[in-house]
Amino acid sequence: MNPIVYAIPVFFLMILIEIITTVVRKKDYYRVNDALSSLSTGMLSITTGVILKLGIYTLIYNHTAFISLNGDALWVWVLGFILQDFFYYWHHRKGHEMNILWAAHSVHHQSEEYNLTTALRQTSTSFFSGWVFYVPMAVLGIPPHIFLTVSLINLLYQYWVHTRHVPKLGWFEWFFVTPSNHRVHHAKNRKYLDKNYGGVFILWDRLFGTFMEEDENYEPIRYGTLKPLRSWNPLWANLHLYIDMGKDAWQTKNWKDKFTLWFRRTGYRPSDVASPMTMPDIHAYQDYNPGASLTLQIYAIAQFSVLVLATIALMAINHATPYGFNILWTGILTLNLISVGWLLEKPSGLFWMEITRFTLSGASVFLSNHFWPGYLDAWPWQFILVSGSISILLLSKISKAKNCLNQKTANNMT
């Protein structure tokens, strides 16, 4: 079973604690739409990982390792942990410096808030190239089980640093990544751009000249990307930069640019397609926050909570289920996540969107039991039928109430 399954309840407990702390301290660190968007991209990342994991590290290790280091020796584990964090630094840094790598990594930076849900905002496309940076570890003979474990530890460590509630931590700031120096990394203020890439150790940044301390006398930090996403669609969040680069490659007349723009400095566009990118005024626009009633937000949270349980269930059984089953349910969960985003930003079409997703979800249960009997009990079908019917009725009530409110407002204006 994927060990992330065991971490998910802890993640959500910490998010709940942070939300309570935010309310008690009277801060504005959370928005429902932004938080659900971040969590949706994280869920999409782990579900697509079910069908896209290729075991590349193991393959390289088996065919290129000079030696096979003793996987039971403590020094090998320590070496693996340090090497993984070192190569993570370069993976992370190049993820900010090269167009095609930024297209994947930018997902993590799209949130315009900074809280623990931001930590879970992960890309679904890094498997294309991320493995390249860890090839030296495989060649040096770090066993796959050590690489997998230390990579997971590195990822889990990074969770807690995505908060605004923890101040600077004194001497700890000199050696380790902390909430303070990682806030700098997520900032899009000019002074802070492209700084603090470390995963566990901030020493790499100090060594290679990319460290920047959080300056409490500097202007307030603004989070997000220089080119705002302005969407709650998790699929679009992952694909839009690839699509933009594809359009540039198609439109440019320069054949060299068609093939090299993908590997040029982040933000590069062919001169016959667009002017060179300039630093925008990040204080000149408001964060993306389309209006949604409190009732609709509660409805979206309820629907999303069900999807969290469904995702955990898929993660718990995917190691034992057929590949076709995993593909089907990854697609259905993706559709459901897109629908939740739609609920929070689209003014129309909500009713039919919900009918469509519940119908397809129910049909998928039927197909699963037909083609892969024994992996699903009868209750998912019954749950979808009952909850779908209740949800459609509730959404109908919400839509009518919204229409009445809009009509009343219009009458008062006239």
Side-chain angles (χ1 to χ4, degrees):
M1 187 184 296
N2 192 316
I4 293 295
V5 172
Y6 300 105
I8 289 176
V10 178
F11 290 157
F12 278 93
L13 176 61
M14 292 179 68
I15 288 171
L16 178 60
I17 293 172
E18 187 183 42
I19 291 174
I20 294 172
T21 304
T22 299
V23 173
V24 170
R25 295 186 63 201
K26 299 181 180 179
K27 301 294 184 179
D28 57 350
Y29 298 165
Y30 269 87
R31 282 186 287 131
V32 169
N33 46 23
D34 187 274
L36 290 187
S37 176
S38 290
L39 294 173
S40 291
T41 55
M43 288 167 60
L44 181 63
S45 176
I46 60 176
T47 52
T48 52
V50 167
I51 61 174
L52 296 175
K53 287 180 179 175
L54 303 177
I56 296 176
Y57 183 91
T58 301
L59 183 66
I60 296 172
Y61 172 84
N62 289 338
H63 290 85
T64 68
F66 291 145
I67 57 174
S68 181
L69 298 177
N70 182 3
D72 295 326
L74 178 60
W75 73 268
V76 178
W77 281 88
V78 173
L79 177 64
F81 183 79
I82 294 173
L83 286 177
Q84 194 278 336
D85 194 63
F86 173 75
F87 289 118
Y88 172 84
Y89 167 86
W90 287 105
H91 178 199
H92 193 182
R93 178 170 173 173
K94 292 303 174 182
H96 283 253
E97 296 177 348
M98 185 184 296
N99 262 337
I100 194 167
L101 298 180
W102 174 245
H105 182 61
S106 64
V107 176
H108 182 61
H109 284 265
Q110 290 162 353
S111 173
E112 293 174 323
E113 299 293 343
Y114 189 77
N115 52 54
L116 291 178
T117 66
T118 309
L120 301 180
R121 188 181 185 95
Q122 298 293 327
T123 178
S124 298
T125 62
S126 64
F127 69 92
F128 284 121
S129 56
W131 58 271
V132 172
F133 292 88
Y134 304 100
V135 168
M137 292 183 65
V139 175
L140 288 172
I142 302 296
H145 73 280
I146 292 182
F147 172 73
L148 176 64
T149 304
V150 297
S151 296
L152 180 61
I153 293 172
N154 191 296
L155 181 65
L156 293 176
Y157 176 88
Q158 294 180 51
Y159 181 71
W160 78 281
V161 302
H162 291 81
T163 182
R164 284 183 265 184
H165 288 293
V166 178
K168 292 183 179 180
L169 299 176
W171 65 266
F172 197 78
E173 302 278 340
W174 276 90
F175 304 99
F176 298 97
V177 174
T178 66
S180 175
N181 57 49
H182 202 63
R183 288 192 289 267
V184 168
H185 176 70
H186 274 261
K188 57 184 175 183
N189 308 65
R190 183 185 295 272
K191 178 178 179 178
Y192 292 150
L193 285 178
D194 300 329
K195 302 296 182 182
N196 299 358
Y197 297 110
V200 173
F201 300 112
I202 200 66
L203 291 171
W204 311 123
D205 290 283
R206 294 184 182 275
L207 181 63
F208 296 112
T210 53
F211 175 76
M212 175 64 68
E213 184 178 2
E214 185 178 25
D215 185 352
E216 296 172 353
N217 297 317
Y218 186 51
E219 64 189 21
I221 290 179
R222 290 210 67 179
Y223 299 99
T225 51
L226 292 179
K227 180 183 178 182
L229 176 64
R230 306 194 78 76
S231 172
W232 304 136
N233 184 327
L235 189 61
W236 180 246
N238 278 275
L239 299 180
H240 78 286
L241 288 182
Y242 294 105
I243 294 172
D244 287 348
M245 285 189 289
K247 290 179 180 177
D248 283 353
W250 177 263
Q251 293 173 0
T252 183
K253 301 298 191 295
N254 186 320
W255 281 93
K256 180 180 178 181
D257 273 342
K258 287 180 182 291
F259 296 101
T260 63
L261 70 87
W262 309 86
F263 308 100
R264 302 290 287 269
R265 181 78 185 186
T266 302
Y268 174 83
R269 301 185 67 187
S271 58
D272 61 342
V273 174
S275 301
M277 182 178 178
T278 58
M279 179 69 182
D281 182 358
I282 63 172
H283 302 289
Y285 59 84
Q286 293 184 339
D287 291 342
Y288 185 59
N289 192 23
S293 68
L294 177 60
T295 307
L296 190 58
Q297 291 182 54
I298 294 173
Y299 176 86
I301 292 172
Q303 299 299 324
F304 184 80
S305 299
V306 174
L307 296 181
V308 171
L309 296 177
T311 299
I312 293 174
L314 179 62
M315 294 303 297
I317 66 173
N318 76 86
H319 62 285
T321 48
Y323 195 65
F325 179 96
N326 294 335
I327 291 177
L328 172 64
W329 282 102
T330 295
I332 289 300
L333 286 173
T334 300
L335 171 65
N336 277 268
L337 291 171
I338 292 172
S339 298
V340 170
W342 187 297
L343 284 169
L344 294 170
E345 69 178 344
K346 302 296 182 183
S348 60
L350 302 182
F351 187 78
W352 293 107
M353 185 70 177
E354 288 295 88
I355 290 179
T356 300
R357 80 177 179 96
F358 280 116
T359 300
L360 292 177
S361 297
S364 296
V365 175
F366 175 81
L367 290 174
S368 296
N369 283 318
H370 178 75
F371 290 106
W372 306 287
Y375 292 105
L376 284 181
D377 296 322
W379 70 264
W381 166 259
Q382 298 166 355
F383 178 81
I384 291 173
L385 181 63
V386 174
S387 67
S389 300
I390 294 174
S391 296
I392 294 301
L393 289 173
L394 286 174
L395 189 62
S396 178
K397 295 285 187 181
I398 294 171
S399 298
K400 287 180 179 179
K402 182 178 179 181
N403 291 335
C404 290
L405 179 61
N406 291 339
Q407 184 62 45
K408 183 177 180 180
T409 302
N411 292 337
N412 290 337
M413 291 178 65
T414 55

